[in-house]
Amino acid sequence: MIAPIETDGHPDHDPARALRAGRPALVIGHGADQWADALILNVGSGSGVRGGDMVVSGPDLVGVVARANPGTCVVRLVTDRYTRLPARCARSQESLGMASGTARGQLQLGDLPLSSDLREGDLVCTAGLGASVPSGLLLGRVETFHQVGVLDPATGARRPRARATVRPATDLLSLESVWVVRLGPGGD
């Protein structure tokens, strides 16, 4: 069974502590069709895995359990287009808004202010902020940071903003084993 991690509502608890309470799992497949950015693991609800559990590889966030069957589970990867995670820059601690998956196996930080201190090469990690994922797990490294015009829905005018592309910290398609961890109170 997976022992839950008590966070006491504090978003900056120790991610390494979460790893110690996790359960190892083997990657037995990759998703297809609507689960294109997904992994299939050899653990499931019979082992205490539940939807919403985090999946990590060392300090790197791999994804979140989307569905747990008795003997397997499906993990939605951080690169899945439906994934949205609060993010921050590891160097400057600047909040970067929501990191979202792309159809190209990367993450995107969109609608950043031009004054952002983010730079190409910076590490991006989770920000916590009340989400089911704690602060401090590595998402990836900024590959590109560039100016874009964003349509303001209120005025219809384009306003200058910045956007960044983030390459995942882990090669998600070559993973063979991961850890499944749970945050928060309670058991099953």
Side-chain angles (χ1 to χ4, degrees):
M1 298 296 279
I2 297 174
I5 300 297
E6 301 291 337
T7 64
D8 298 322
H10 194 278
D12 289 325
H13 71 281
D14 180 9
R17 183 171 168 240
L19 281 178
R20 291 191 296 274
R23 170 178 195 75
L26 297 175
V27 176
I28 60 172
H30 298 272
D33 299 327
Q34 79 267 25
W35 294 105
D37 281 348
L39 297 178
I40 301 168
L41 305 182
N42 71 336
V43 295
S45 58
S47 304
V49 174
R50 298 190 301 208
D53 289 351
M54 291 186 318
V55 178
V56 297
S57 176
D60 306 340
L61 181 62
V62 171
V64 176
V65 173
R67 183 177 58 233
N69 303 310
T72 62
C73 67
V74 177
V75 177
R76 180 180 301 138
L77 298 176
V78 295
T79 54
D80 183 90
R81 67 179 182 227
Y82 297 110
T83 298
R84 304 283 184 274
L85 296 162
R88 67 179 167 81
C89 177
R91 175 184 51 78
S92 68
Q93 300 300 307
E94 174 186 3
S95 176
L96 302 172
M98 300 299 273
S100 56
T102 70
R104 297 173 306 280
Q106 297 178 320
L107 294 138
Q108 179 175 293
L109 298 164
D111 201 20
L112 297 168
L114 291 178
S115 61
S116 174
D117 187 35
L118 192 65
R119 303 173 191 159
E120 290 180 5
D122 275 346
L123 294 176
V124 175
C125 58
T126 56
L129 302 176
S132 60
V133 175
S135 178
L137 293 172
L138 189 58
L139 292 172
R141 185 176 298 278
V142 175
E143 277 199 333
T144 64
F145 182 76
H146 56 275
Q147 183 174 338
V148 295
V150 176
L151 186 64
D152 185 334
T155 65
R158 290 213 174 268
R159 57 188 167 92
R161 300 295 280 178
R163 182 168 291 153
T165 303
V166 178
R167 176 174 300 286
T170 298
D171 181 355
L172 301 172
L173 298 179
S174 68
L175 286 172
E176 295 179 4
S177 63
V178 292
W179 282 86
V180 180
V181 294
R182 175 170 309 134
L183 297 177
D188 292 4

